[in-house]
Amino acid sequence: PGTGKTSMALRFLVEEELSTINSKLSTLIMSYTNRAVDEICAMLTDAGIDYLRLGSETSCDPRFADHLLDRAIGEHPRLDKIRQMMKDTKVVVSTTSTMLSRPYLFQLKHFSLCIVDEASQILEPNIIGLLASPQIDRFILIGDHKQLPAVVQQPDDDPRLSACRLSLFERLLRVEREAGRTAFTAILQRQGRMHPDIAAFPNEMFYAKE
């Protein structure tokens, strides 16, 4: 907690992707909740990165409403206008549920990179279909299953169904660790939210035991 997964790591990943000389590259950023998407929008705004947000005004912080697709296209949307706007935009932000409900957007836009923030909250069926889209070349999952795991009602005493409780984030993390691979996973080591003596407890009791 407090390592800057959204404010720092996500920002640097987006800036690195946008800094490439290939002007056609675009990034899709998703998260589970509208509140988390608001935090992403705040980070992008502070970094001076232009973006387009998918969703409705009722679920968006008023500070970022000007970036909504629905507001940008106006009261008389035209497919050619939407297509051109999506083509010109380098960064698109959305909740996973919004993208699932608007699959036609993948017909309008190809993404070189998809970053999913707070990915440890999202159960696999709610994300795997999006990431498997041929319109996404690569994806990065950012999260902390020790802090924000997926919330499920399924009991954990049935070993036959235990994997169904896991997010794609946690399952892939387990696969990599069991295989002894470290090339595709990383843990942020510095945090700025609490005194080091306070941080020592969760570090030792929750994180170091893995």
Side-chain angles (χ1 to χ4, degrees):
T3 51
K5 293 183 292 295
T6 300
S7 61
M8 302 297 291
L10 177 55
R11 173 177 174 173
F12 294 152
L13 289 168
V14 175
E15 290 178 337
E16 181 177 345
E17 187 73 3
L18 295 179
S19 67
T20 179
I21 60 175
N22 188 343
S23 60
K24 295 182 179 181
L25 298 185
S26 297
T27 301
L28 172 64
I29 308 176
M30 296 187 292
S31 195
Y32 187 51
T33 65
N34 283 294
R35 176 63 183 272
V37 172
D38 284 337
E39 292 296 324
I40 294 171
C41 291
M43 177 275 294
L44 294 172
T45 300
D46 291 343
I49 299 173
D50 193 25
Y51 62 93
L52 194 63
R53 175 168 178 171
L54 308 182
S56 65
E57 293 198 29
T58 57
S59 59
C60 175
D61 188 305
R63 294 176 296 165
F64 316 119
D66 289 343
H67 291 270
L68 284 168
L69 174 62
D70 291 349
R71 178 175 290 193
I73 62 178
E75 297 180 358
H76 305 287
R78 292 171 45 186
L79 183 58
D80 59 339
K81 184 177 181 180
I82 298 174
R83 187 185 301 274
Q84 189 63 44
M85 188 172 298
M86 292 289 288
K87 180 180 179 181
D88 295 340
T89 302
K90 298 299 182 185
V91 178
V92 177
V93 187
S94 174
T95 61
T96 51
S97 60
T98 297
M99 287 303 298
L100 284 169
S101 66
R102 301 183 182 184
Y104 61 87
L105 291 173
F106 282 121
Q107 300 175 14
L108 306 177
K109 187 77 170 175
H110 184 94
F111 299 97
S112 60
L113 176 65
C114 174
I115 306 175
V116 185
D117 196 23
E118 304 293 6
S120 57
Q121 290 184 284
I122 308 172
L123 288 173
E124 189 162 337
N126 297 328
I127 190 66
I128 189 66
L130 294 172
L131 299 182
S133 169
Q135 293 296 88
I136 293 176
D137 294 337
R138 299 166 291 142
F139 67 85
I140 298 174
L141 305 181
I142 300 176
D144 182 355
H145 61 292
K146 296 293 186 179
Q147 181 186 6
L148 290 173
V151 178
V152 295
Q153 294 182 332
Q154 174 189 310
D156 58 1
D157 55 358
D158 189 341
R160 298 171 300 173
L161 301 175
S162 59
C164 298
R165 299 176 54 85
L166 301 180
S167 62
L168 177 64
F169 176 93
E170 186 170 358
R171 184 173 70 82
L172 291 179
L173 185 62
R174 289 188 179 189
V175 167
E176 293 302 294
R177 287 177 172 171
E178 290 172 0
R181 292 188 293 260
T182 59
F184 301 107
T185 64
I187 298 177
L188 300 181
Q189 301 290 341
R190 299 178 61 183
Q191 63 86 28
R193 184 175 296 173
M194 65 194 84
H195 190 281
D197 291 343
I198 298 176
F201 173 76
N203 283 342
E204 180 178 347
M205 300 304 296
F206 294 96
Y207 294 91
K209 291 186 176 182
E210 288 201 344

